Amino acid sequence: MSEQPEFIKIQQRFADHIKNPDVFERPKDVDDRHMAIYRDLFFKNVMGFLNGAFPVLAEIVGEPRWTQIGREFFSQHHNKTPYFLEISREFLHYLEHEYSAQQGDPDYLYELAHYEWLELYVDVEPEGPATLLDADGDLLTGIPLLSPIVEGYLYQYPVHQISPENASPKPQSSALIVYRKRDDSVGFAETNSFTLQLLVLLKEQRLSGHQVIINLLQQSGLAGNEAAYQGGIQTLKQWWELGIVLGVKA
Amino acid sequence: MPSYPVSGAGLGLRRALLGPLSSVGPEQISFMEVAPENWIGVGGRLGKEFRRYTEQFDFLCHGLSLSIGSPDPLDIKFIQQVRDFMREHGIKAYSEHLSYCSSEGHMYDLMPIPFTEEAVRYVAQRIKTVQDIIEQPLIIENVSAYAQPGKEMDEIDFLKAVIEESDCRLLLDVNNVFVNSTNHGFDAKDYLRKIPSDRISYLHIAGHYEEASDLLVDTHGASVKQNVWDLLDFTYQQHGVVPTLLERDFNIPSVPELLSEIDVIKRLQNNNSGRTGGRDVRTA
């Protein structure tokens, strides 16, 4: 195996020191005043990305712990994405697989980060090829079409209600839908685990609204339950009004 | 006559400028530049707004994550995505920094490549790989630096050697020349005189922050300093009127204030019109 060229080794040492100055010494031919410019620029830049994507989490975790988590992410995580908006996804990956919780970190830390990331994702994710839409078609006989970007998750905490004023919520199963509205803004809807299943079936864009509800009732042991069927219809209509459902396939 | 991918006086387009610039046209801003890393894979309202801009203005890509000098391998898939993005939006050329921004992963800011012969060969080879993928010359930019680790030759010689060996183009950042001449103690005009005119594709100009009298930081967060305007004028005298773009990334001022700086570029360009490639054709 051939040895790395000298300039590559210099580059690696330079980068290692910027990532983790407590562990790696600065290059010998650079004085501390100049090296400090790099250390500050890089770390402020990374913290800027994290603060922009996770403002609620940053405020709740608070200093100095938030900076500490940021430093661990910057020094330990191997960032694969060249894209700036995806740094938040890398941070989620870090939280899920590499981060180690400390006493005082909220139990919902990952879930809140995920929910904050989801808003960004729904805002910017490119839409797939459009399907011809009948915006006023019958949602029961037609095949309902969903907002181009719509995600539903079941969280263990009410992440949508967490704020610095409400930083210690009790665990409470929360089914949340985040989606792109008709005017391209980001919409949020609280639902339940039952209707999250409805969303899953609708995403297949295979069956009529009527058939989707029937299938869902069968899966849930509620076949023939008229009240539940009416509930399904109400949900579809409500989702159409919110823009989670845009209409039916033309 | 030299041929350039764009002409006139341009402005770097930031997300924060999408709204404020919505009523500005190509007669005020001749061309724009974006970081592909901020726009590839971006749809929704931002993607639609961006589309309106690329339909109206001439565009260049000014990348940040290519990491041409990095110890890490080139990200071929990423370069292909940049190429496809340029085709999708009719973007005329791709510039990047003569630096590196990754080492066992991306670090999202620029670090100085040691100025050595080995590094020249390494970087030139990687530039050629990029040029093969994008099927046009890469335009590399001289970067501002606050340290010169492992330096074995002067910056200007390193820059010229990379351009020569890779047969690439140059984005000459006049502010970076000024910043580095202060930080590393060389003569900015001497540096500019040594630049081969026929390699220049366009210029950058920007403001910087004075950390100390001998330490300037290229923040793109302030208006252009008078001594940098003077250096731009000198660059036109040396190399002719080259398309020039104003970079402003932080503390973004009002649109009239930005346009007034772009008007300074235009005025200097008009004052030097007729000059080309180091000769003054009016006196030829």
Side-chain angles (χ1 to χ4, degrees), chain A residues 1-143:
Chain A
M1 214 177 96
S2 66
E3 170 107 350
Q4 295 269 39
E6 183 59 25
F7 83 93
I8 294 277
K9 288 190 227 162
I10 293 171
Q11 287 183 316
Q12 287 165 334
R13 284 200 292 272
F14 197 85
D16 285 344
H17 174 74
I18 289 173
K19 285 186 195 174
N20 203 345
D22 291 341
V23 174
F24 297 101
E25 283 185 20
R26 69 167 196 274
K28 287 189 177 55
D29 60 349
V30 180
D31 71 32
D32 197 57
R33 189 169 71 113
H34 290 85
M35 205 62 225
I37 302 281
Y38 282 103
R39 287 196 302 263
D40 291 351
L41 281 178
F42 275 67
F43 193 54
K44 276 185 189 152
N45 191 36
V46 167
M47 289 313 290
F49 288 125
L50 296 184
N51 291 332
F54 306 101
V56 181
L57 186 62
E59 200 171 342
I60 287 177
V61 169
E63 294 299 343
R65 178 61 180 145
W66 178 243
T67 297
Q68 192 183 19
I69 292 174
R71 174 61 71 183
E72 284 167 9
F73 167 67
F74 183 50
S75 61
Q76 293 165 20
H77 182 70
H78 186 126
N79 278 296
K80 290 178 196 68
T81 182
Y83 299 116
F84 299 119
L85 283 174
E86 287 184 3
I87 296 172
S88 54
R89 196 197 295 257
E90 294 266 2
F91 184 67
L92 269 193
H93 189 275
Y94 162 78
L95 287 181
E96 192 176 5
H97 299 286
E98 297 159 58
Y99 146 87
S100 47
Q102 270 194 10
Q103 199 175 4
D105 288 352
D107 290 339
Y108 56 72
L109 191 143
Y110 175 78
E111 285 204 338
L112 178 58
H114 184 277
Y115 186 66
E116 293 202 87
W117 164 79
L118 190 56
E119 178 179 358
L120 184 69
Y121 168 83
V122 168
D123 195 20
V124 304
E125 181 67 8
E127 300 177 6
T131 310
L132 214 51
L133 171 78
D134 175 2
D136 298 312
D138 188 319
L139 297 175
L140 287 180
T141 56
I143 297 175

Side-chain angles (χ1 to χ4, degrees), chain B residues 181-196:
Chain B
S181 71
T182 303
N183 291 353
H184 307 298
F186 61 79
D187 181 349
K189 287 187 176 176
D190 186 47
Y191 182 108
L192 288 170
R193 272 189 213 100
K194 289 177 178 165
I195 296 284

Side-chain angles (χ1 to χ4, degrees), chain B residues 84-110:
Chain B
D84 296 346
F85 173 75
M86 290 172 67
R87 287 181 183 162
E88 185 189 333
H89 290 279
I91 293 172
K92 294 176 182 303
Y94 180 28
S95 64
E96 250 290 357
H97 301 87
L98 184 55
S99 69
Y100 71 113
C101 58
S102 58
S103 175
E104 292 180 57
H106 282 276
M107 294 164 69
Y108 308 110
D109 209 337
L110 308 174

